[in-house]
Amino acid sequence: MQYVDNMMLSWTSFWDILDKLGIVAGVFSLLVSLSIRAYLWRKEKQDNALIDIRLYCPEPEITITLQGQIRRKNLTRAEVQGLLGILPMKEKGKRYELQALNQKVFFDALEEAQVNGAIQELVITCSEQELEQFDLGTQVDS
């Protein structure tokens, strides 16, 4: 009889330990799940942030903000060129030429804007002659 009581006591304590482990595992799983959800929410928010594209001419100092913005997750050279392509040209039918789009500095700035959530704009430096190919009218920001 003593043996049966001891056996029952050991099984009871065994199940108590398993219950406690299950509760701990459940709480841990909940915390992990919530932290993953929060990370994905922040990541989606950062990826959907809108980035301004600006043309900047240092001499004379002129800044032009392009109409439209690009989502950070879609920020590629092709998207930037597409946005530049909608600018009106002085010579109708001619394609724009910007040397900055072929330089490493531009690709580095583009990559940094893709991954750095603090960056809200992509600035493309160009010369006065390069700006003159566009029919910008009143789009100059100053």
Side-chain angles (χ1 to χ4, degrees):
M1 188 71 160
Q2 183 71 24
Y3 177 72
V4 172
D5 287 339
N6 283 340
M7 184 70 135
M8 276 301 223
L9 185 61
S10 68
W11 278 108
T12 304
S13 61
F14 174 72
W15 289 115
D16 286 343
I17 291 171
L18 285 181
D19 282 346
K20 291 174 185 165
L21 284 174
I23 291 169
V24 168
V27 169
F28 179 74
S29 297
L30 177 68
L31 293 175
V32 168
S33 177
L34 289 175
S35 67
I36 290 171
R37 174 64 87 181
Y39 168 78
L40 291 174
W41 180 77
R42 283 191 309 270
K43 177 91 170 102
E44 183 178 349
K45 186 177 176 185
Q46 178 180 336
D47 286 349
N48 285 322
L50 296 173
I51 306 296
D52 286 318
I53 310 298
R54 290 186 168 69
L55 293 175
Y56 173 70
C57 179
E59 198 57 48
E61 191 168 335
I62 299 172
T63 302
I64 298 161
T65 302
L66 301 182
Q67 293 180 359
Q69 297 172 310
I70 301 175
R71 292 193 188 284
R72 187 179 312 279
K73 66 182 174 185
N74 298 332
L75 188 62
T76 62
R77 182 174 181 256
E79 288 289 332
V80 172
Q81 286 184 315
L83 206 54
L84 287 167
I86 64 172
L87 287 176
M89 301 293 290
K90 285 187 178 173
E91 286 186 46
K92 302 297 181 204
K94 187 176 179 192
R95 180 165 159 67
Y96 66 87
E97 290 182 30
L98 295 175
Q99 291 300 315
L101 297 179
N102 299 321
Q103 296 176 355
K104 184 176 180 347
V105 174
F106 171 74
F107 287 104
D108 291 343
L110 186 63
E111 183 179 359
E112 184 66 22
Q114 289 170 343
V115 297
N116 186 345
I119 294 177
Q120 299 299 316
E121 66 181 15
L122 178 66
V123 178
I124 302 168
T125 304
C126 54
S127 67
E128 184 177 11
Q129 292 79 19
E130 289 175 326
L131 277 183
E132 287 175 359
Q133 65 187 325
F134 299 108
D135 185 14
L136 298 172
T138 59
Q139 293 186 11
V140 178
D141 295 343
S142 293

